[in-house]
Every structure is written in C-alpha cells, then in structure tokens.
C-alpha cells in the first residue's frame, strides 16, 4: 500500500493538478468491499475502473451454435433446394438427417465464433488489459490518464 502510494503518489493530474492520484488497478481493487456474508460489492467509482472484459469463448459461441442450428433446421428445405444443384448428395443427406445436419452446422458456426473469440483474447484483449494496467486515476476529479 505504501509502496503503491510512493510509486504513483507523485503523478500529477493533468486535469486538476492534484497529486492525489492512484494506479487504476489499485483503485479498482480498493473499491471492492467484501461484506460479512462474503458478498462482494463495488462502488460506482470502482465500477468505472473495471478492466476490459475478455470475449466469451464458451457461453456466447454455445448460444450462436444453438441459434444457427435452429435456424438451419427450420430453413432446411430452402437450404437443400440450393444445395441440390452443386452438391446433390449432400442435399439429400441433409434432407434425410435434418437434426444431425442442423447440429453439425451449428457446431461449426459455434467453433468459428469460439476461435475468433480466443484470437481476440490473445491479441486485442491482451493489449487492452495492458493499457488498462498502466492507467492512473485522479481521486479528486476522477480524470484518467496514462503514466
Ligand atoms: Zn484531477
């Protein structure tokens, strides 16, 4: 705590000139209160300082897989008609295995979304988190700036 204060205490807020500034990550941590029952709450000030969230690589893709699967199932006759010209074998297989075919299409869609989310988390989100951890916040006026 005193270390953190020494480290960031000298940073001057470019907005109001106050030296009462703090690392965003420390300020965020301090704004979380754990109650007697273990319930955690965060102040409105701390809420603004939350780190950028990663993309869901599981729940959201699962939703997409479900939606695409259902959509495929109900649009199957339309899809089969379109496939018939280029891939007649696939079209007839689709027609005779509607549930499996829809599930496969859904799973593929979900996997693609999951892969793109993982890619986002590994690159863009890592950069966002890095920038967030370097942030400084003014405890007097709430202005945020970088070291
Ligand atoms: Zn300030």
């Amino acid at each position: 705590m005193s270390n953190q204060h020494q480290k960031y205490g000298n940073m001057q807020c470019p907005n109001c000139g106050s030296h009462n500034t703090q690392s965003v990550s420390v300020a965020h941590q301090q704004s979380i209160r754990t109650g007697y029952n273990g319930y955690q709450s965060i102040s409105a000030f701390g809420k603004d300082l939350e780190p950028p969230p990663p993309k869901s690589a599981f729940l959201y893709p699962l939703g997409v897989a479900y939606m695409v699967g259902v959509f495929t199932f109900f649009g199957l006759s339309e899809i089969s008609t379109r496939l018939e010209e280029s891939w007649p074998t696939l079209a007839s297989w689709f027609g005779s295995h509607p549930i499996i075919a829809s599930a496969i299409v859904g799973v593929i869609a979900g996997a693609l979304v999951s892969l793109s989310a993982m890619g986002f988390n590994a690159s863009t989100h890592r950069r966002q988190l890095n920038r967030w951890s370097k942030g400084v916040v003014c405890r007097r006026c709430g202005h945020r700036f970088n070291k």
Side-chain angles (χ1 to χ4, degrees), residues 94-106:
F94 251 57
S96 50
H97 303 83
I99 294 177
I100 301 173
S102 307
I104 290 173
V105 173

Side-chain angles (χ1 to χ4, degrees), residues 13-18 21 138-143 145:
C13 172
N15 192 46
C16 71
S18 168
T21 57
C138 175
R139 305 256 10 178
R140 188 169 151 205
C141 73
H143 182 68
F145 54 99

Side-chain angles (χ1 to χ4, degrees), residues 70-126:
V70 169
F71 188 79
T72 305
F73 184 76
F74 286 106
L76 210 60
S77 61
E78 170 77 20
I79 293 169
S80 302
T81 318
R82 279 166 194 247
L83 281 178
E84 222 140 61
E85 285 179 22
S86 336
W87 297 292
T89 328
L90 189 66
S92 73
W93 190 84
F94 251 57
S96 50
H97 303 83
I99 294 177
I100 301 173
S102 307
I104 290 173
V105 173
V107 165
I108 291 171
L112 289 177
V113 172
S114 181
L115 277 176
S116 96
M118 283 190 254
F120 170 88
N121 289 342
S123 58
T124 311
H125 180 250
R126 190 162 289 183

Side-chain angles (χ1 to χ4, degrees), residues 4-18:
Q4 294 289 4
H5 192 260
Q6 266 179 354
K7 210 166 165 190
Y8 304 109
N10 294 335
M11 293 292 298
Q12 190 176 8
C13 172
N15 192 46
C16 71
S18 168

Side-chain angles (χ1 to χ4, degrees), residues 36-84:
Y36 296 113
N37 52 6
Y39 178 79
Q40 287 199 330
S41 62
I42 186 161
S43 69
F45 177 68
K47 232 175 190 153
D48 282 344
L49 303 174
E50 298 234 305
K55 272 192 184 167
S56 163
F58 181 67
L59 269 184
Y60 176 68
L62 207 63
V64 169
Y66 177 76
M67 291 297 291
V68 171
V70 169
F71 188 79
T72 305
F73 184 76
F74 286 106
L76 210 60
S77 61
E78 170 77 20
I79 293 169
S80 302
T81 318
R82 279 166 194 247
L83 281 178
E84 222 140 61

